[in-house]
Amino acid sequence: MLLLGAASALVDGINEGVRARGFTDMRPAHGFAFVRLAPDGATVVELAEHLGVTKQAASQMADELVRKGYVERRPHPTDARARLLTLTGRGWACTRAADEAASEVLLPWADALGPDRLATVRTALSTLAVPGRIRPTW
Amino acid sequence: MLLLGAASALVDGINEGVRARGFTDMRPAHGFAFVRLAPDGATVVELAEHLGVTKQAASQMADELVRKGYVERRPHPTDARARLLTLTGRGWACTRAADEAASEVLLPWADALGPDRLATVRTALSTLAVPGRIRPTW
DNA sequence: CCCATGTAGTCAAGCTGCTTGACCAAATAG
DNA sequence: CTATTTGGTCAAGCAGCTTGACTACATGGG
């Protein structure tokens, strides 16, 4: 289906842009994690739910991101068992790079389309998409 | 991105429909393979190119599909090295089931949208999607 | 006609990202 | 104060892919 092709092209394009900006050790999956971590941080379990994987998988991804310097594990303010994962400066820089890359990919597309048809596409897609479903690994 | 959510929902929906029709041992990736095999069959290498994986990976997927009875390995009519992978009766039945499932998922969506806006969405997506790119494994 | 190079396919080994299962420590309910 | 739930980790295993090496057939130039 061409919906899939478009989605792939989009993800590839953004990933390409992120790498071009110097973050060569990032995969698209990391970007999906950043979406959840960006506002106020999250626990491993919350991250796991957001990504649709087990908490072990999320934990080991967190390990990787900590090792690479994008994420910190801080003590949770109210729960001594939990740890709050938050973005480091480098993590935020990468998030900004991803936003830039995304605009870069979408801008010419939105331009060619015009605001009206763009809105049509957006609403059309949002009726099909169930909220929060981001499981790219088939 | 909500484009991804829509793509995921679509794939999941179709896969669900296929399973509901009795083909419980199928993954979405198999469907992508069928797209290439359906018209006249294909060799392992052609399948590999279509899926964007190595020929070894394609070959072992072919093994699986043969084992499950969806695909046959026949001698290639003009090249004694090659083997032509073709769908069996069961393979065609599964293809038909997938088509039905796809319409089932898309029909209410297309209905709600109307032909005009549907066409808009289609053309919009096709400008973004590069041809033949179907690599769902990020 | 024959050899050199290219191509289709398989075998084998290894890696990566995920899973299931078991467990500990802190939180929470009774 | 115990019993259960919840956040997190450790360990082992698996699925789907990769790279590398090899065989059998194809093909083009001498």
Side-chain angles (χ1 to χ4, degrees):
Chain A
M1 203 54 71
L2 95 156
L3 184 54
L4 302 183
S8 290
L10 183 61
V11 170
D12 284 353
I14 294 178
N15 192 235
E16 194 86 8
V18 170
R19 300 180 124 262
R21 271 161 248 266
F23 302 97
T24 55
D25 52 359
M26 297 296 285
R27 288 180 295 123
H30 299 144
F32 299 136
F34 280 25
V35 169
R36 184 64 181 80
L37 299 181
D40 304 299
T43 67
V44 165
V45 170
E46 289 167 344
L47 179 61
E49 280 172 6
H50 177 249
L51 296 176
V53 299
T54 59
K55 57 185 180 177
Q56 292 91 328
S59 178
Q60 102 189 17
M61 186 182 197
D63 282 343
E64 183 188 348
L65 290 174
V66 167
R67 184 165 27 84
K68 290 179 177 169
Y70 293 99
V71 168
E72 271 181 340
R73 274 185 219 266
R74 322 193 46 169
H76 195 282
T78 66
D79 190 332
R81 298 169 300 177
R83 299 179 167 213
L84 194 61
L85 303 170
T86 56
L87 295 184
T88 62
R90 185 172 167 79
W92 283 107
C94 183
T95 302
R96 263 178 273 120
D99 286 342
E100 286 174 27
S103 325
E104 198 174 83
V105 172
L106 286 177
L107 219 154
W109 192 52
D111 247 27
L113 225 59
D116 284 4
R117 280 178 292 182
L118 183 63
T120 300
V121 172
R122 291 190 87 90
T123 55
L125 289 178
S126 55
T127 58
L128 184 57
V130 279
R133 262 302 267 101
I134 312 181
R135 290 229 48 193
T137 312
W138 301 317
Chain B
M1 205 55 70
L2 96 154
L3 183 55
L4 302 182
S8 290
L10 182 63
V11 170
D12 284 353
I14 293 177
N15 192 234
E16 194 84 8
V18 170
R19 301 179 123 263
R21 270 161 248 266
F23 302 97
T24 55
D25 54 358
M26 297 296 286
R27 289 180 296 121
H30 298 146
F32 299 136
F34 280 26
V35 169
R36 184 64 182 79
L37 300 180
D40 305 299
T43 66
V44 165
V45 170
E46 289 167 344
L47 179 60
E49 280 172 7
H50 177 248
L51 295 176
V53 300
T54 60
K55 57 185 180 177
Q56 291 92 327
S59 178
Q60 100 188 18
M61 184 182 207
D63 282 343
E64 183 188 349
L65 290 174
V66 167
R67 185 165 24 85
K68 290 180 178 170
Y70 293 99
V71 167
E72 272 181 341
R73 272 184 219 267
R74 323 193 44 168
H76 194 282
T78 66
D79 190 333
R81 299 168 300 176
R83 299 180 167 211
L84 195 60
L85 303 171
T86 56
L87 295 185
T88 62
R90 185 171 166 79
W92 282 107
C94 183
T95 302
R96 264 177 273 119
D99 285 342
E100 286 173 28
S103 325
E104 198 174 82
V105 172
L106 286 178
L107 218 155
W109 192 52
D111 247 26
L113 225 59
D116 284 4
R117 278 178 293 181
L118 182 64
T120 301
V121 172
R122 291 190 87 90
T123 55
L125 289 178
S126 56
T127 58
L128 184 56
V130 279
R133 262 300 270 104
I134 312 181
R135 291 231 46 194
T137 312
W138 299 316

